[in-house]
Amino acid sequence: MKTDEAIDLIRPHLKQARFDHTLRVAETAVLLAEKNNEPVDKVELAAILHDYAKYFPLEKMRREINESDLPQDLLFYHHELWHGPVASIVLEREHGITDEAIKNAIRYHTTGRSGMSQFETILFVADYIEPGRSFPGVEEVRTAANSDLYHAAWMALRNTIQFLVGKNGAVYPDTFYAYNNLTIHLN
Ligand code: DGI
Ligand code: FE
Ligand code: FE
Ligand code: FE
């Protein structure tokens, strides 16, 4: 799939603000791909597609998870975690996205996971630092991303875990595994 086809595919599924976010994630991901020697076109495609399922009806996402090989425990956690895994399976089944690197980057873009590839880490960080984001601490993560992609990912995971725990929320295990994995490997 080409970039312009991907944009045409996602556009009708997204609100304007989410579409604009997507284009900023793609621009950010391309810069990180260039800096870290990942295939720019593939990273850009993953970024354009990453929030494809963001506004799927909850019932559709629930059904897709139920009828898939995805971990069923997703259904016990916040529905915000569903759109990445659901996008990865629907994009493969209905739109021929079979590339494993692209599928995994989309699948894990919200939670992260232990042992994320550099490709996956680029989308994870780009989604967090795109210029429209204003999370507390995001500027620090942007600075880190200029010199150390994995350190930036670690900071984003730490901030997200702190944010979720701070509001007494659940944290999906993959997010902890991703954080612990980078904590151990960066030291
Ligand atoms: O889809 P986006 O808004 O661009 O960003 P995203 O896919 O990274 O979604 C992030 C939201 O998901 C963020 O507000 C926190 C929320 N969330 C809920 N539970 C978890 C979680 N994020 C992570 N990483 N882990 C969780 O368990
Ligand atoms: Fe997302
Ligand atoms: Fe994210
Ligand atoms: Fe996003």
Side-chain angles (χ1 to χ4, degrees):
M1 188 181 296
K2 299 272 206 327
T3 309
D4 51 339
E5 290 175 78
I7 289 173
D8 290 345
L9 174 61
I10 59 149
R11 182 151 215 163
H13 290 276
L14 303 181
K15 303 174 185 170
Q16 186 66 43
R18 179 63 38 181
F19 180 73
D20 295 345
H21 156 76
T22 293
L23 296 184
R24 292 190 300 265
V25 172
E27 283 171 25
T28 305
V30 163
L31 294 175
L32 292 174
E34 286 166 349
K35 197 186 294 284
N36 295 281
N37 299 308
E38 282 294 324
V40 170
D41 291 355
K42 269 172 64 165
V43 165
E44 184 176 33
L45 189 57
I48 291 167
L49 296 171
H50 84 283
D51 276 338
Y52 170 68
K54 184 86 176 176
Y55 301 112
F56 279 17
L58 293 183
E59 273 317 310
K60 176 176 169 62
M61 288 200 275
R62 214 187 301 276
R63 186 164 14 93
E64 290 291 351
I65 291 168
N66 258 308
E67 295 171 358
S68 74
D69 295 330
L70 293 169
Q72 298 298 305
D73 70 349
L74 281 166
L75 296 170
F76 295 117
Y77 289 82
H78 200 278
H79 56 74
E80 189 61 38
L81 302 182
W82 302 351
H83 70 282
V86 166
S88 72
I89 56 174
V90 174
L91 288 166
E92 173 164 28
R93 186 183 68 224
E94 297 179 7
H95 300 288
I97 303 294
T98 56
D99 185 279
E100 291 293 325
I102 294 174
K103 279 194 301 178
N104 284 329
I106 294 170
R107 173 170 173 177
Y108 296 106
H109 86 262
T110 303
T111 59
R113 65 163 166 168
S114 180
M116 273 193 285
S117 68
Q118 182 174 259
F119 189 111
E120 289 163 47
T121 306
I122 285 174
L123 182 57
F124 182 82
V125 169
D127 190 32
Y128 192 85
I129 66 169
E130 63 90 350
R133 296 293 204 191
S134 57
F135 309 125
V138 69
E139 201 49 51
E140 242 194 316
V141 185
R142 289 190 179 109
T143 303
N146 285 324
S147 55
D148 186 342
L149 178 72
Y150 286 98
H151 189 239
W154 176 85
M155 292 169 83
L157 287 158
R158 178 204 58 189
N159 291 355
T160 299
I161 291 169
Q162 285 177 340
F163 165 75
L164 291 167
V165 173
K167 55 172 198 165
N168 300 332
V171 181
Y172 192 66
D174 276 340
T175 301
F176 280 130
Y177 290 138
Y179 171 79
N180 288 340
N181 177 248
L182 291 178
T183 301
I184 290 162
H185 284 279
L186 291 172
N187 282 294

